[in-house]
Each structure stands twice: as C-alpha cells, then as structure tokens.
Amino acid sequence: MGDKPPGFRGSRSWIGCVEASLCLDHFGGPQGRLCHVPRGAGLQGELERLYSHFAGGGGPVMVGGDADARSKALLGVCLGPGTEAYVLVLDPHFWGVPKNPSDLQAAGWVRWKEVGTAFDSNSFYNLCLTSCNSQKQQHALD
C-alpha cells in the first residue's frame, strides 16, 4: 500500500491500528475510524464515545498501544454508577472453533475488565472503531 519500506513486505513485523485501518480501507472491509488516546488513563474520557459506537451498531474496536503491547479488541462497554465502567475484552489470538461462549470466558479469551485495570496508564493507545454503516456510525460518534 506504500506506507512501509520495501523490506516490510514478507516480514514478520507487527502492524498497529493505523495500518489495520489502512488495510480495511484498501481491501474494501468495514470502515475504520481512528481515535488516539495519549495515555491509558484518558480512556475513561472515551467511554461515552465507545458506548455510542456499540449502541449505534459499531463493530469490534481494535486496540493498540506502545508500552502495553498486549493485543486486544473491545466488544462492548458497561457504564455503571459514578465512574464505574467495564469493557468487554477479546484476546484476538484465539483460533479454532469454541464449543460454546462459556468455554471462551472460562479460558480468558473473552472477559469483562474494569477500565482502570484493562489499560496501562503510561501507554498511549490507538483505537480503530469499525463500522459497516459509516454514515450512521459517524453521526453516533459526533
């Protein structure tokens, strides 16, 4: 796609959310809207945006960071009273066919995590919010 040096092709180097968004666009996948969060503690301020994203029919949110190199995707947000909030985290390394959703939860592939423990407060994060219906989704996020 021209955004990497020639030696990148065929390598085993990682790509981040920015590159994943470019790939979605290049290959005609769902729309990917990027959101940069300078520090993990700032994710608390993005919860309403994430909630609107999912409430508006948005798809999984890819998450990438610098100090926090653990890959994750978000599948939902639960806002409680006060500042209590949880995110439904999917570990994207799972492969195979699960017998049932309970097996995925028991093995830790999918779990609810309190926002304060799900993200490293010292890491920046890029979020790629995916949506197949870009106009409706764009309106929900604005």
Side-chain angles (χ1 to χ4, degrees):
M1 295 183 327
D3 68 313
K4 298 283 181 224
F8 187 82
R9 186 177 191 163
S11 74
R12 292 185 172 252
S13 296
W14 291 91
I15 65 170
C17 285
V18 173
E19 293 88 356
S21 176
L22 291 170
C23 287
L24 289 173
D25 186 53
H26 181 80
F27 294 110
Q31 295 282 323
R33 181 172 181 183
L34 292 171
C35 174
H36 178 73
V37 182
R39 290 282 167 244
L43 272 146
Q44 189 76 28
E46 298 298 329
L47 292 175
E48 288 292 333
R49 176 192 303 255
L50 289 168
Y51 183 85
S52 294
H53 169 75
F54 292 119
V61 175
M62 293 176 271
V63 179
D66 63 343
D68 178 0
R70 295 171 293 174
S71 298
K72 58 180 96 26
L74 304 181
L75 302 178
V77 175
C78 178
L79 302 175
T83 60
E84 184 179 352
Y86 297 85
V87 288
L88 184 58
V89 178
L90 166 73
D91 183 334
H93 296 100
F94 177 81
W95 60 273
V97 180
K99 293 178 185 167
N100 59 58
S102 297
D103 287 348
L104 290 174
Q105 276 188 296
W109 294 108
V110 177
R111 65 186 176 271
W112 285 102
K113 289 195 77 168
E114 199 275 323
V115 171
T117 63
F119 302 98
D120 181 336
S121 62
N122 296 314
S123 181
F124 78 74
Y125 288 93
N126 287 319
L127 311 178
C128 181
L129 292 79
T130 61
S131 173
C132 290
N133 186 347
S134 60
Q135 286 185 333
K136 179 180 176 184
Q137 191 63 32
Q138 177 67 36
H139 179 70
L141 291 173
D142 290 337

